[in-house]
Amino acid sequence: MVEVKIPRDHPRYWSLLLRERIVEGMKKGVVVPQGLIAHGRGECFDYIIGERTWPPAEEAVKAGVAAFLLAKHPVISVNGNTAVLVPREIVEFSELTGAKIEVNLFYRTREREEKIAQILYEHGAREVLGVGEDASATIPELHSERRRVSPRGILVADVVFVPLEDGDRTEALRRMGKTVVTVDLNPFSRTAQKANITIVDNIVRAMPLMIKYARELREKPRRELEKILENYDNKKILGSMIKIVLERLGELAEKGVFVDKG
Ligand code: PTJ
């Protein structure tokens, strides 16, 4: 295996490091080749938004966390890319919110399910659903392997966190009456457009922020969390993120550089 050493002073150090992590994940059979394509698409949008968390994304994080804390059966759905990028954070967020963790794959094989569960157990997960026989229920009208879910997890969940998701499943989960929270760097994707709460940010920045807000908001009365959700408007948040993309592209077109407002 070729080991790539990225110099710390490389201007794109963090981005390259994440890329290597995804590639390593693919070599180990955790990430699928299609996951590399998905990551590249994410990188492109991250580049445009300046690889930082913008206020509308932070607002969406707050609403997503409130939804999780108010939920009766919250579930975090984990795929190959997510398992490689933020395994520790997934486990910590599940501990803080009482959410179950479920492996749910587009390209499902028993081997990948087990490898992903293993990573999560290594990072402290107490239980990982959706592996082998446990994925015995099905989401109606969905034809990809993602239709297979755990009867103790996604099937009965009222709120589901589906980061880096494909559009079909988000729509199917919405039709089942579930609240869908997602992280997706592409504000134009079907998942971003169809979810109830869309965090347009890189999952490696969004998850630590979700953990921070989970710590903070779980101390608050229910009424305060309900208010956060009542005042939340996903269309407005998505619109604000798209305006940020437009403004930054406008700056680049006019001045030849992105103007970093910090
Ligand atoms: O592990 P599996 O078998 O479940 O397959 C996982 C992939 C990601 C291959 C599968 O779900 C897929 O094909 O997804 P899509 O339809 O390519 O959607 C992934 C979305 O995630 C795209 O809109 C990307 O822009 C976005 N994305 C990629 N990397 C990141 C991201 N969003 C936030 N943070 C990232 N690091």
Side-chain angles (χ1 to χ4, degrees):
M1 201 181 288
V2 186
E3 225 188 84
V4 182
K5 284 256 174 295
I6 304 156
R8 269 230 163 234
D9 58 352
H10 192 289
R12 307 207 40 76
Y13 176 77
W14 285 110
S15 176
L16 293 178
L17 202 71
L18 292 184
R19 187 181 285 184
E20 287 312 312
R21 240 197 271 169
I22 289 282
V23 170
E24 278 301 302
M26 198 200 77
K27 287 177 182 161
K28 289 183 180 148
V30 176
V31 171
V32 278
Q34 294 85 341
L36 264 57
I37 297 170
H39 187 79
R41 187 145 17 108
E43 276 182 348
C44 173
F45 282 100
D46 209 11
Y47 195 81
I48 292 172
I49 67 167
E51 295 171 331
R52 54 165 287 196
T53 302
W54 291 86
E58 188 156 351
E59 220 178 297
V61 163
K62 234 170 128 177
V65 171
F68 254 67
L69 291 170
L70 288 169
K72 279 202 186 76
H73 299 292
V75 175
I76 305 166
S77 174
V78 180
N79 65 15
N81 288 45
T82 304
V84 160
L85 292 175
V86 282
R88 186 182 57 75
E89 291 85 349
I90 290 287
V91 174
E92 196 172 348
F93 187 65
S94 91
E95 294 284 327
L96 285 167
T97 57
K100 292 205 160 83
I101 302 176
E102 178 166 342
V103 176
N104 189 270
L105 304 177
F106 193 86
Y107 305 97
R108 191 183 268 278
T109 63
R110 181 68 184 251
E111 204 188 338
R112 286 188 71 221
E113 289 167 12
E114 281 169 3
K115 282 183 179 168
I116 291 168
Q118 167 83 20
I119 293 177
L120 295 164
Y121 284 126
E122 279 167 11
H123 286 84
R126 281 183 258 184
E127 187 182 31
V128 179
L129 302 175
V131 179
E133 305 312 311
D134 186 54
S136 58
T138 48
I139 300 179
E141 300 164 53
L142 199 58
H143 303 295
S144 72
E145 275 301 287
R146 279 223 157 120
R147 73 183 184 281
R148 286 175 49 199
V149 291
S150 167
R152 294 186 295 133
I154 291 172
L155 188 75
V156 291
D158 50 350
V159 181
V160 197
F161 178 40
V162 287
L164 284 54
E165 182 59 73
D166 80 301
D168 279 357
R169 194 163 72 120
T170 303
E171 285 185 347
L173 292 171
R174 288 289 314 263
R175 276 199 299 275
M176 288 171 83
K178 300 179 194 300
T179 297
V180 177
V181 182
T182 192
V183 173
D184 194 330
L185 274 161
N186 176 2
F188 311 109
S189 80
R190 221 150 32 102
T191 292
Q193 294 290 327
K194 296 287 176 188
N196 298 79
I197 298 171
T198 307
I199 301 160
V200 181
D201 200 3
N202 196 318
I203 194 161
V204 299
R205 292 189 301 270
M207 280 308 303
L209 204 56
M210 289 173 82
I211 289 169
K212 178 187 154 230
Y213 275 110
R215 282 214 184 91
E216 221 173 284
L217 294 181
R218 70 193 212 133
E219 307 300 333
K220 306 278 184 203
R222 275 186 84 81
R223 187 64 207 121
E224 205 167 308
L225 304 183
E226 282 161 3
K227 267 215 175 112
I228 293 174
L229 283 184
E230 278 160 24
N231 294 330
Y232 182 79
D233 179 346
N234 205 45
K235 285 272 166 281
K236 205 175 108 208
I237 291 294
L238 275 172
S240 304
M241 283 307 306
I242 292 168
K243 271 188 204 134
I244 287 165
V245 169
L246 277 173
E247 273 168 29
R248 285 182 55 85
L249 290 177
E251 283 163 6
L252 190 62
E254 252 177 54
K255 303 190 177 102
V257 284
F258 284 128
V259 180
D260 196 353
K261 297 197 181 85

